Amino acid sequence: MTIAPTRCVLVFFSVFVARVGAQTTAPSDSRYFAIQVVDDQTGRGVPLVELKSVSNVRYWTDSAGFVAIDDPAFMNQTIFFSVYSHGYEFAADGFGIRGKRFDVKSGGSAQIKIHRKNIAERLYRLTGEGIYRDSVLLGRAVPIAHPLLNAQVTGQDSIQPVAYHDKLYWFWGDTGRQSYPLGHFGMSGATSQLPGKGGLDPSVGIDYQYFTSPDGFARPMVIDPPNNLRWADALAVVKDEKGQDRMVGRCQVLKSLDQPIANRLVIYNDQTNVLVKLKDIPIHAPLQPIGHPIPVEENGIAWFYFGEPFPNQRTHADLKSFADLSSYEGFTCLTPGARYDRDNPSLDRDAQGKLIWAWKKDTQPLDRREMDALVRAGKIKAEEVWFSPRDVETKKAINLNLASVSFNAYRKKWIAIASEIGGATSMLGEIWYSEADQPQGPWPWARKIITHDRYSFYNPCHHPFFDQEGGRLIYLEGTYATTFSRNDDPTPRYDYNQIMYRVDLGDARLQLP
């Protein structure tokens, strides 16, 4: 990272001072011993660092990098804590042990530095319980209005953000609650103010105003049908026939994780603040909105591109086109009007036998899995696969799953933040950066920016509305969860929640060929 540590600290401190009077924090309690873990490059506290004693008592730093210790067995003793965190590394001693001894005393404190191996910098946790628990126990200033619990939310899955009517709207999938192991499965929602218009600087945090039920718990934003999973995505803002902005999206209705029962387009009701059905669409429609929408202007025409992981379908950015699946185009190598058939694919080739990749109406786009199947079947060559980025270090192809794509003014490129399936250290926890000259690619190279040790971090989402310094600093979040990983060892408070990272696109390691 090239951001100046002094500037980062001043911004962080100034926001703390401005807001400290409004926060609910406990008075300073001298019975605690405070340890803060900071990034050795920025001096900023690092969240999600595990400190473990030799008797396997474990603590995890809060979003300011603090732990508050009041264990009577530790007081007035020299205690060794090992230090561990995903994508970070504490210096090893002569025996290869990574940790430090502390003289633990009531009212005492210590600070240690940890080295960041990730290109991305972990900033704070966004959702769940106890985001600044230890800071509150220590009587420290905290930057957000609800540092301990907001709308009774303990866990939230997969963000869908929308800038709408001069606010930011946030929608999450399944949501956990304090009072029972099951929360609800109908998309929670919240709003926040934009930075510079009443909102916090994104380097500090986000103050969510949740939509809640009478009992105070975050309520579903998709109400019907109430007894099924309702997962909304592809949320975008389009113009209606009167030229008014409308928020639209897609909602899948599922009986179970692998049993969809309905698929529909939805529209936001500004009076009731819920997403309601616009129209039903086929569950397996070959062209439909999906993932994180990408606004694109081409030759004066406004489009929305969609795709997972990379854009491979599009429609005009108006309500009529969004609702009419026949208006959608696929970026594909199939002949116009064709559908995918692995055994007998209708491939579109020119006179020289070269695949014709282009935007085509009523033509199915191919995802990576389908293209790989065609390669195995000998129908196309590996070098003809369009969406196939390679690791800039090893030159090996990477199996990317979900991505967030946007144009970046600093790089003057389309950039993608994507998750990998089957990574070396975690099945679904490796996050990559890639860039292209066009939103549909090709995306030839990628660089890993976040890694996890046998832990998942999926559905990454870059927030262009938070970009700073002309796009050099970008912010992204994802879901930290045991899913497909350490199911028997969830991180307390952090598991199944959203974590924010920042990336400096001026980092020399992100210079791709």
Side-chain angles (χ1 to χ4, degrees):
M1 301 288 285
T2 58
I3 182 170
T6 302
R7 179 183 177 279
C8 180
V9 171
L10 285 174
V11 170
F12 197 55
F13 179 74
S14 65
V15 176
F16 271 14
V17 170
R19 295 185 56 83
V20 65
Q23 307 312 309
T24 303
T25 60
S28 180
D29 194 328
S30 62
R31 79 175 185 269
Y32 293 102
F33 179 74
I35 300 175
Q36 188 185 31
V37 182
V38 300
D39 187 315
D40 68 357
Q41 299 171 61
T42 67
R44 177 179 176 131
V46 181
L48 191 58
V49 179
E50 179 192 87
L51 303 179
K52 184 169 67 173
S53 76
V54 294
S55 52
N56 294 311
V57 177
R58 297 194 289 178
Y59 299 86
W60 286 266
T61 56
D62 71 3
S63 282
F66 281 107
V67 295
I69 298 170
D70 66 348
D71 192 321
F74 291 169
M75 289 301 163
N76 302 310
Q77 302 290 331
T78 299
I79 305 296
F80 180 89
F81 288 105
S82 62
V83 182
Y84 159 83
S85 188
H86 304 285
Y88 290 73
E89 187 174 73
F90 192 71
D93 64 15
F95 296 98
I97 298 172
R98 300 183 185 277
K100 184 176 177 62
R101 284 193 292 260
F102 298 87
D103 292 326
V104 177
K105 297 178 181 179
S106 296
S109 65
Q111 185 184 87
I112 60 173
K113 295 180 179 180
I114 193 169
H115 178 67
R116 173 163 38 91
K117 298 188 295 181
N118 282 340
I119 292 176
E121 176 189 5
R122 189 182 307 131
L123 297 181
Y124 48 81
R125 180 157 53 94
L126 289 140
T127 59
E129 170 259 316
I131 293 174
Y132 284 95
R133 170 191 177 272
D134 296 83
S135 296
V136 169
L137 288 173
L138 296 167
R140 307 280 177 147
V142 295
I144 58 176
H146 300 281
L148 298 179
L149 188 67
N150 194 354
Q152 301 176 23
V153 169
T154 60
Q156 290 190 295
D157 187 20
S158 298
I159 189 63
Q160 282 279 326
V162 189
Y164 182 57
H165 289 170
D166 295 321
K167 284 185 178 180
L168 296 176
Y169 282 71
W170 308 88
F171 298 88
W172 298 269
D174 306 342
T175 298
R177 66 187 303 167
Q178 283 274 48
S179 59
Y180 192 70
L182 296 178
H184 72 71
F185 307 93
M187 301 295 295
S188 294
T191 63
S192 70
Q193 301 299 318
L194 285 159
K197 297 183 179 181
L200 296 175
D201 187 294
S203 67
V204 173
I206 302 173
D207 271 332
Y208 295 122
Q209 299 293 319
Y210 280 92
F211 296 98
T212 58
S213 300
D215 64 0
F217 180 47
R219 66 166 171 82
M221 302 299 289
V222 182
I223 299 173
D224 296 317
N227 297 320
N228 296 103
L229 304 173
R230 288 99 66 200
W231 292 344
D233 68 345
L235 294 171
V237 177
V238 298
K239 298 288 186 183
D240 65 12
E241 64 279 1
K242 297 179 181 179
Q244 301 297 311
D245 284 343
R246 302 301 303 273
M247 186 196 305
V248 292
R250 180 189 72 147
C251 182
Q252 294 178 294
V253 181
L254 303 95
K255 186 175 181 179
S256 63
L257 293 178
D258 58 354
Q259 191 175 356
I261 59 175
N263 208 8
R264 57 189 52 162
L265 302 181
V266 292
I267 189 166
Y268 191 74
N269 185 314
D270 293 294
Q271 284 68 51
T272 60
N273 291 311
V274 294
L275 291 161
V276 298
K277 182 171 74 172
L278 179 63
K279 63 182 292 187
D280 288 312
I281 60 174
I283 291 176
H284 300 297
L287 291 165
Q288 59 178 292
I290 188 172
H292 295 291
I294 305 150
V296 178
E297 185 169 320
E298 186 178 279
N299 299 322
I301 299 174
W303 300 82
F304 268 113
Y305 285 36
F306 306 91
E308 291 183 344
F310 298 114
N312 61 4
Q313 47 192 308
R314 68 180 186 179
T315 191
H316 295 295
D318 59 75
L319 180 59
K320 181 180 178 182
S321 298
F322 184 89
D324 180 9
L325 297 189
S326 68
S327 74
Y328 285 60
E329 300 177 356
F331 186 79
T332 179
C333 62
L334 298 182
T335 57
R339 298 292 182 264
Y340 170 72
D341 183 338
R342 186 191 65 180
D343 298 320
N344 188 30
S346 181
L347 298 172
D348 196 8
R349 295 187 181 274
D350 62 17
Q352 288 72 43
K354 184 179 179 180
L355 280 179
I356 299 174
W357 287 93
W359 291 106
K360 303 165 188 176
K361 268 200 168 185
D362 190 36
T363 310
Q364 183 174 347
L366 302 181
D367 61 26
R368 176 65 183 272
R369 181 176 54 185
E370 291 162 340
M371 288 186 285
D372 286 347
L374 291 175
V375 171
R376 290 192 299 271
K379 305 297 182 180
I380 64 175
K381 298 177 181 179
E383 56 269 26
E384 293 181 306
V385 174
W386 187 270
F387 302 106
S388 185
R390 295 183 177 274
D391 182 348
V392 71
E393 292 186 313
T394 68
K395 309 303 184 287
K396 293 181 179 179
I398 314 156
N399 188 7
L400 297 180
N401 175 34
L402 301 172
S404 177
V405 175
S406 62
F407 183 76
N408 182 263
Y410 176 77
R411 300 294 291 223
K412 296 180 175 58
K413 298 274 189 179
W414 292 89
I415 65 171
I417 306 296
S419 60
E420 179 185 9
I421 295 179
T425 62
S426 60
M427 204 285 276
L428 200 62
E430 309 304 281
I431 305 299
W432 295 75
Y433 170 89
S434 186
E435 58 188 26
D437 293 324
Q438 302 177 87
Q440 68 271 22
W443 302 82
W445 299 104
R447 167 81 71 176
K448 187 186 293 189
I449 58 173
I450 300 173
T451 186
H452 290 86
D453 177 16
R454 295 170 293 114
Y455 222 101
S456 291
F457 189 75
Y458 55 80
N459 290 348
C461 183
H462 164 217
H463 303 315
F465 42 76
F466 284 161
D467 286 359
Q468 295 175 325
E469 300 187 15
R472 184 171 72 86
L473 300 180
I474 67 170
Y475 293 80
L476 66 103
E477 66 175 281
T479 305
Y480 177 80
T482 59
T483 309
F484 310 118
S485 56
R486 293 197 213 174
N487 293 322
D488 58 346
D489 186 26
T491 308
R493 296 188 172 90
Y494 281 92
D495 187 64
Y496 208 59
N497 273 301
Q498 304 300 117
I499 297 178
M500 183 74 86
Y501 283 82
R502 176 171 58 189
V503 181
D504 182 350
L505 296 186
D507 192 309
R509 291 170 292 179
L510 293 177
Q511 297 301 320
L512 306 181

